[in-house]
Amino acid sequence: MASYGRFLQARVGALKRLFDLVSASLALLLLFPVLLLVAWLVHRRLGSPVLFRQVRPGLHGKPFEMVKFRTMRDAVDTEGNALPDAERLTPFGRFLRSTSLDELPELWNVIKGDMSLVGPRPLLMEYLSLYSAEHALGCTSVTAVKPEFRSNANLASLVRLWPIATETSGYLSI
């Protein structure tokens, strides 16, 4: 009976991957003019590079490079340190984030198989160490499935499901 469960799980996984591949490809094709316009506007208002790249943990914690449109300026203080996000985020960047247009390049991550259209959002790499081995390997864990492209479930709501011990305060607070 266990082998039938694995067989069924493999079939569902293959169907989900097919759905992701077809849907993301179709979305990229249909949204290509929007992607070009947003890329041009980002270049014009924020300069180069147009894309923001960040390493995030994927399935089983395997790192992948997530791609988004850039929404912040590269502003630094007198010592060369990046200014706080609130000071670097532009009104245009705020608009891109509020409309989720900054996340359109993530469709490429879905096509590559790094992400899925359905699943938890990708965490930052530094949050991975805050999960216990039990949570990291659990079937409902954020590392047991591919991260998703977009969802209403954000990191704060996922983290509230589990008490996560940290070295400083005892729990991760977001």
Side-chain angles (χ1 to χ4, degrees):
M1 195 60 147
S3 63
Y4 179 72
R6 282 192 293 266
F7 172 78
L8 189 60
Q9 187 176 16
R11 292 283 188 227
V12 170
L15 283 175
K16 182 179 178 189
R17 177 69 187 127
L18 181 64
F19 171 78
D20 284 346
L21 194 57
V22 170
S23 299
S25 298
L26 193 61
L28 268 178
L29 185 64
L30 293 173
L31 295 171
F32 189 71
V34 175
L35 283 160
L36 284 177
L37 177 64
V38 172
W40 180 75
L41 288 170
V42 168
H43 185 271
R44 188 146 183 239
R45 294 175 186 225
L46 299 173
S48 289
V50 170
L51 297 176
F52 169 75
R53 299 170 186 275
Q54 188 174 47
V55 176
R56 297 284 181 105
L59 184 62
H60 304 299
K62 180 184 171 201
F64 73 95
E65 188 177 69
M66 185 177 72
V67 182
K68 293 177 142 187
F69 281 121
R70 197 163 69 115
T71 58
M72 293 189 196
R73 296 180 297 124
D74 290 329
V76 293
D77 62 16
T78 55
E79 287 128 27
N81 301 317
L83 292 175
D85 289 355
E87 292 180 40
R88 295 185 304 134
L89 183 64
T90 65
F92 175 66
R94 203 170 291 113
F95 167 76
L96 288 178
R97 288 182 177 189
S98 69
T99 58
S100 298
L101 289 171
D102 65 321
E103 297 188 12
L104 286 178
E106 290 177 23
L107 288 167
W108 181 246
N109 290 115
V110 174
I111 290 172
K112 286 180 13 184
D114 294 332
M115 297 175 70
S116 179
L117 292 173
V118 178
R121 302 220 359 117
L123 302 170
L124 293 171
M125 288 300 287
E126 55 263 26
Y127 291 138
L128 208 53
S129 64
L130 300 176
Y131 284 84
S132 69
E134 176 184 283
H135 294 127
L137 298 174
C139 63
T140 59
S141 165
V142 292
T143 62
V145 293
K146 286 183 184 177
E148 79 166 315
F149 167 63
R150 182 75 181 151
S151 168
N152 291 331
N154 57 24
L155 176 62
S157 65
L158 287 172
V159 169
R160 283 190 205 105
L161 296 175
W162 308 296
I164 300 172
T166 63
E167 295 161 10
T168 54
S169 65
Y171 291 101
L172 176 65
S173 58
I174 295 180

